[in-house]
Amino acid sequence: MFEFSKKGPMADTQLSYASTVGAGSTIKGNFTHRGNLLLSGHLIGDIHQEEDSAGSNDGYTAVVGKAGFLEGNIYSSHAIIIGRIEGSVYAKGRVEIYPGAIVNGDVTYSQINVHPDAKVNGNLKCLLSDSTEHLASEQADANLNNVLPIKKADGY
C-alpha cells in the first residue's frame, strides 16, 4: 500500500544550504542561521532563524540530518527532522519528521507530516486558528451530541 525508498529520506540532499554543521562536529552554544541549515553533527544549544535577512519572509529550513543530534530547541520557519532532538520544535510553517527520527519535546507547527516509525515524545500544537474553531463550537453544542449523563438506578 505504501512504498518508501530503502535509501531513506532525500530531503537533506534536495535543499541547498547556507550553513552546515558536519558529521563528527560538536558545537556548544546557540546557532543562528541565515538560509537553510543542515545539522549532521552534534549541537548543544538552540537553533534560531535570522529574521531580518533577505529572503527570510519565504522561510528557511532547519534540517537535522540522519547523523544529527540537537540538544536544544529549533526556532525556524520550517524544520525537517531525520535525526534526533532533545528539545522542542517551533516552526511557523511546515515540519517533517522522517522514519527513524526521534523528537523528545513539543512540536509547534502550521503543517506537519510525521512519517511511520518516527517517534515524537511530546505535545503537538497547531498554529492555525481555524483548527481550533470547531472545538469551541462543539463545546457550545455539547447538549446536542446525544450523550446523556449516567444516573444511578432507583433501588440500588
Side-chain angles (χ1 to χ4, degrees):
M1 185 165 140
F2 296 105
E3 187 173 323
F4 294 100
S5 170
K6 293 183 180 180
K7 295 179 184 178
M10 299 296 290
D12 58 344
T13 60
Q14 292 176 343
L15 293 171
S16 59
Y17 298 100
S19 303
T20 302
V21 177
S25 301
T26 300
I27 296 178
K28 294 180 182 179
N30 294 335
F31 192 93
T32 301
H33 67 100
R34 176 186 303 174
N36 297 327
L37 163 72
L38 173 61
L39 174 64
S40 294
H42 184 184
L43 175 63
I44 303 169
D46 294 340
I47 294 174
H48 295 270
Q49 172 183 308
E50 186 174 289
E51 296 291 334
D52 298 334
S53 62
S56 65
N57 292 339
D58 298 332
Y60 297 131
T61 303
V63 179
V64 178
K66 189 171 185 173
F69 178 38
L70 172 64
E71 292 183 77
N73 301 318
I74 294 178
Y75 302 93
S76 190
S77 290
H78 310 287
I80 297 173
I81 314 303
I82 304 168
R84 182 174 167 203
I85 296 179
E86 295 289 332
S88 297
V89 178
Y90 303 95
K92 294 182 277 186
R94 184 169 180 79
V95 176
E96 289 265 348
I97 304 174
Y98 279 91
I102 299 171
V103 178
N104 288 317
D106 298 339
V107 180
T108 303
Y109 60 91
S110 288
Q111 296 177 349
I112 191 166
N113 190 2
V114 181
H115 292 259
D117 296 326
K119 295 172 180 61
V120 178
N121 300 313
N123 295 313
L124 301 178
K125 180 181 179 192
C126 184
L127 293 174
L128 300 177
S129 61
D130 60 342
S131 66
T132 57
E133 287 176 4
H134 74 279
L135 293 175
S137 65
E138 285 177 11
Q139 288 175 348
D141 297 334
N143 295 333
L144 301 176
N145 64 8
N146 295 332
V147 176
L148 300 175
I150 298 175
K151 296 181 181 178
K152 189 172 184 180
D154 293 333
Y156 289 98

